[in-house]
Amino acid sequence: MNNLFTYGIDEYPALMDSLGQPTFRAGQLARWLWQRDAAGYDAMTDLPKELRARLASAAPLTRAHVATRQVARDGTRKYLLAFADGVSVECVGIPGRDGRLTVCVSTQAGCALGCVFCATGQGGLTRDLLPGEIAEQAVVVGRDFQRRVSHVVTMGQGEPFLNYDATLLGLRIINATDGLGVGARHITLSTAGIIAGIERLANEPEQFTLAVSLHSAIQTQRDELMPGLRGQSLERLHTALAQYYEHTHRRPSLEYTLIARQSDTDAQLDALADFARSLGAHVNLILLNKMPANTNPIGDDAPQRPVGTPQRSTYIPLSENHANEICARLRTAGVEATLRASRGADIDAACGQLAAR
Ligand code: SAH
Ligand code: SF4
């Protein structure tokens, strides 16, 4: 007996087969779940009643419960979703022009990597999410906005490449015709830079978009900001990204959070420009968002703070003007760069503010 959310959409035919059902039932099930948002098996009225009962015991289905919902001044909405076992994650809906709706999904409850500026990283990892739990977040947001989900990014809680299989299965549900039907190029995997994951993604058939959180192209600084990746060399990351491009002909983008007096020095910006230019990668500059007050501070009183970890007050955002200057400087250096607008900061819904509760 497996929770239905354990299955990828391609596994529904085998599930139906194991119950002695024809394959077309798999498509019916998928559409009820991911398009028609059925509350449970009982709502799937064109499945035989006996089948619904057998499904309920063979593959129990509990839809996520929206525990809290907050709306920001700019229209961004943040949700706390609770799953069957009570574990909860946050996800975000970001409405845009021309009917766009971007959903920022979590791939894990919490995160083990502990990046020093990220609220999720301060609480550690609770557990991996299941494929259906990842897709469910897009369903909940689409339902609430009463709009088709047009884009999905894995920029919520967790590191997608440390939950690779479930993340890919979840994104395939989001991408599938019988699923949410979001185009693969509109689905972005954001990773802290797990090399094995980048190598695997290069060999997947879908044209998903890859974004890598770089934050510093200088080894010592990156090790300090991203302690969970200490020991992983930037050189290997660069090689993996170059190979990814060679293999897929899709350019990865680089996320770079701007931290005053750290990421804005000449040495840092020159290193970033070299790293990005040689890959032909687009750089997304991000203004550092403050950590919500309810997350464990990185401070002298935090018992889990590893020796040598700087205090939270070390991390100060840059002004927007300064960030725009950096953007212009990178362009002059031959790098495609944009400053990403931060959305939903007044409800702590922006990048890095999603807390494991
Ligand atoms: N683990 C993945 C995806 C989730 S984090 C990753 O790290 O890419 C999504 C994005 O938010 C990453 O680019 C991350 O670096 C960024 N981020 C984390 N904390 C932030 C903060 N306080 N301010 C701005 N961006 C932050
Ligand atoms: Fe994890 Fe990404 Fe946050 Fe780092 S930035 S702690 S990898 S969620």
Side-chain angles (χ1 to χ4, degrees):
M1 188 182 79
N2 266 333
N3 175 339
L4 183 64
F5 285 163
T6 322
Y7 296 97
I9 201 164
D10 289 348
E11 295 166 318
Y12 296 174
L15 174 65
M16 285 299 178
D17 191 53
S18 73
L19 299 172
Q21 294 292 316
T23 309
F24 75 88
R25 296 277 184 227
Q28 284 178 305
L29 173 65
R31 291 187 294 275
W32 273 115
L33 275 172
W34 308 118
Q35 297 177 359
R36 303 170 77 176
D37 198 11
Y41 288 121
D42 279 342
M44 304 182 186
T45 47
D46 57 4
L47 296 184
K49 210 167 173 188
E50 191 225 11
L51 172 60
R52 286 185 255 155
R54 290 184 64 200
L55 277 168
S57 64
L61 165 62
T62 310
R63 298 229 78 143
H65 160 74
V66 180
T68 63
R69 172 184 179 274
Q70 286 169 275
V71 181
R73 282 189 289 274
D74 64 12
T76 299
R77 300 181 195 171
K78 181 172 83 166
Y79 310 81
L80 179 68
L81 296 194
F83 298 117
D85 63 353
V87 166
S88 54
V89 295
E90 291 185 322
C91 61
V92 179
I94 308 155
R97 266 180 251 136
D98 307 324
R100 253 188 189 228
L101 176 60
T102 301
V103 180
C104 176
V105 298
S106 294
T107 55
Q108 297 181 306
C111 183
L113 288 182
C115 300
V116 293
F117 45 78
C118 169
T120 307
Q122 306 319 304
L125 176 69
T126 303
R127 72 162 169 84
D128 286 338
L129 295 191
L130 299 171
E133 291 174 335
I134 295 168
E136 182 80 330
Q137 299 169 54
V139 172
V140 166
V141 176
R143 176 204 301 153
D144 190 48
F145 276 88
Q146 297 195 311
R147 226 193 250 188
R148 211 184 74 76
V149 173
S150 62
H151 294 72
V152 169
V153 295
T154 66
M155 293 189 186
Q157 288 165 239
E159 168 47 47
F161 288 167
L162 292 181
N163 183 22
Y164 188 96
D165 293 321
T167 296
L168 262 281
L169 291 177
L171 297 181
R172 286 192 177 123
I173 295 174
I174 291 170
N175 174 232
T177 315
D178 280 339
L180 283 95
V182 179
R185 288 162 192 255
H186 291 175
I187 297 175
T188 300
L189 274 139
S190 173
T191 176
I194 305 293
I195 288 170
I198 296 169
E199 290 170 349
R200 282 182 74 180
L201 189 70
N203 291 304
E204 302 292 355
E206 293 89 358
Q207 307 219 309
F208 294 133
T209 298
L210 175 65
V212 173
S213 300
L214 186 68
H215 306 312
S216 174
I218 294 180
Q219 191 73 51
T220 47
Q221 173 75 357
R222 192 166 197 264
D223 287 349
E224 187 185 309
L225 294 174
M226 307 175 83
L229 290 181
R230 233 171 247 169
Q232 185 212 67
S233 88
L234 276 164
E235 205 178 315
R236 279 194 62 212
L237 178 63
H238 188 278
T239 305
L241 291 174
Q243 285 169 350
Y244 175 89
Y245 176 63
E246 212 166 283
H247 202 85
T248 63
H249 302 291
R250 297 194 303 276
R251 290 183 198 283
S253 60
L254 301 172
E255 312 287 303
Y256 191 88
T257 300
L258 293 167
I259 303 169
R261 289 189 293 281
Q262 298 207 24
S263 36
D264 56 342
T265 62
D266 286 343
Q268 290 286 349
L269 293 174
D270 290 347
L272 169 64
D274 284 347
F275 194 97
R277 203 186 314 104
S278 52
L279 291 168
H282 184 106
V283 173
N284 273 314
L285 299 172
I286 310 170
L287 288 171
L288 181 74
N289 296 306
K290 67 171 173 44
M291 276 202 241
N294 61 353
T295 33
N296 291 339
I298 301 171
D300 285 335
D301 55 343
Q304 75 278 39
R305 184 171 72 97
V307 178
T309 306
Q311 292 184 31
R312 176 186 196 164
S313 55
T314 317
Y315 303 111
I316 300 162
L318 241 60
S319 72
E320 207 170 318
N321 272 348
H322 192 174
N324 277 317
E325 281 166 26
I326 288 177
C327 199
R329 171 177 167 161
L330 288 170
R331 287 183 186 158
T332 308
V335 177
E336 248 186 71
T338 42
L339 176 63
R340 191 163 72 197
S342 196
R343 301 280 303 266
D346 55 317
I347 55 164
D348 293 333
C351 271
Q353 296 190 314
L354 305 185
R357 285 151 215 250

